[in-house]
Amino acid sequence: MRVLVTGGAGFIGSHVVEVLAARGHEALVFDVREDPAADVRDPAAVRRALAGVDAVCHQAAMVGLGDGVADAAEYVSRNDLGTAVLLAAMAEAGIRRLVLAGSMVVYGEGRYTCVRHGVVRPGPRAVADLDAGRFEPACPACGDDLVPGLVGEDAPADPRNVYATTKLTQEHLAAAWARSTGGSAVSLRYHNVYGPGMPRDTPYAGVASFFRSALARGEAPRVFEDGRQRRDFVHVRDVAAAGAVALEAEAAPGLLTAYNTGSGDPHTVGEMARALAAAYGGPQPVVTGEYRLGDVRHITADSSRLRAETGWKPEVGFEEGMAEFARAGMRGAQAL
């Protein structure tokens, strides 16, 4: 299969290219890092790149939490306009297979259970609570403590920031393209991806990058809130393999299918920081009590649907992955 990988020179995209090549596919890189003219928002450039292509793995995006709404236009331009241009060109070229780099951020908070009210969905955390160090969301019906669990793909979307909103819009655009063309679209909702080649010292990187960059400077990782927020840290090679498997699998025409793409082994942010510091041999993490408005408390994946329907499974365990990441090289700062 001849696959165009947008963002193929980036952190995850470069690993996707490697995995596709190892599985016997021809991967073509379309990325502004390698060619300033390779902008996914440029219809002519995209049409040229799609010549002779069988499928597209769309990794190009502006990533991260964002800064309120100050950079909303840039996020929408790069993520949503870029996706719309790509899909229009795919429709024109008759390309009917798409794998999209989705994100767990479309859910907002994860799945919670109240002893009295069952499964509930807490709203955004109040600034007053965060300032007072009350980080756990409470039951919206009774105010009691909640028990976090795994979120499935059927959970309602609830994006909490500009970046999350653009990622959900990408899925809606891909679904509209699939219905219009009869194509098949798969969105892999990545959880917290980490591993070799992760960008360093950039506001757009994930928490694992922040911690690894601090250790490289000889500084203690700074853990926000109380460090007990739960995440699903999944290795970049496992995510790349999921992309290749999704491209190869039979997918329903005319539909977008979303799959959580996580390790299935949740850990707290504090646990991750301690494991990385121990593997690196650097200073122990410092829990700061600071917070970022727009962050969610707990979000962990139920990735059983992806495993059951494609045969994919993660291969890199948490301890092994953190030990490798502690020694691995990182990229220079990048926004895409």
Side-chain angles (χ1 to χ4, degrees), residues 203-293:
Y204 301 97
V207 66
S209 172
F210 292 156
F211 294 164
R212 176 66 172 75
S213 297
L215 289 165
R217 296 191 300 268
E219 301 171 2
R222 294 176 59 81
V223 180
F224 279 13
E225 301 188 16
D226 57 6
R228 297 177 184 172
Q229 53 272 50
R230 287 160 51 93
R231 296 292 187 269
D232 186 318
F233 299 101
V234 58
H235 197 277
V236 65
R237 286 197 299 274
D238 286 332
V239 164
V245 167
L247 283 166
E248 295 167 349
E250 288 296 324
L255 297 173
L256 177 135
T257 305
Y259 291 114
N260 287 333
T261 309
S263 69
D265 181 25
H267 290 269
T268 68
V269 172
E271 287 174 336
M272 188 272 285
R274 291 190 293 272
L276 191 57
Y280 190 86
Q284 285 299 299
V286 175
V287 178
T288 69
E290 298 172 298
Y291 65 87
R292 296 193 308 177
L293 195 63

Side-chain angles (χ1 to χ4, degrees), residues 189-202:
R189 292 176 174 170
Y190 300 155
H191 279 248
N192 289 70
V193 185
Y194 73 96
M198 201 171 192
R200 66 175 182 272
D201 298 324
T202 165

Side-chain angles (χ1 to χ4, degrees), residues 56-122:
V56 173
C57 186
H58 184 30
Q59 299 288 325
M62 184 174 179
V63 299
L65 179 64
D67 180 19
V69 296
D71 48 9
E74 189 71 6
Y75 272 99
V76 170
S77 175
R78 292 186 182 275
N79 295 356
D80 298 338
L81 175 60
T83 298
V85 169
L86 173 66
L87 294 172
M90 289 176 64
E92 181 182 343
I95 299 167
R96 299 293 182 260
R97 185 175 292 266
L98 170 71
V99 170
L100 171 68
S103 175
M104 55 85 179
V105 296
V106 301
Y107 297 117
E109 287 286 354
R111 186 178 189 272
Y112 292 88
T113 303
C114 173
V115 172
R116 286 196 283 172
H117 295 98
V119 175
V120 297
R121 291 183 61 80

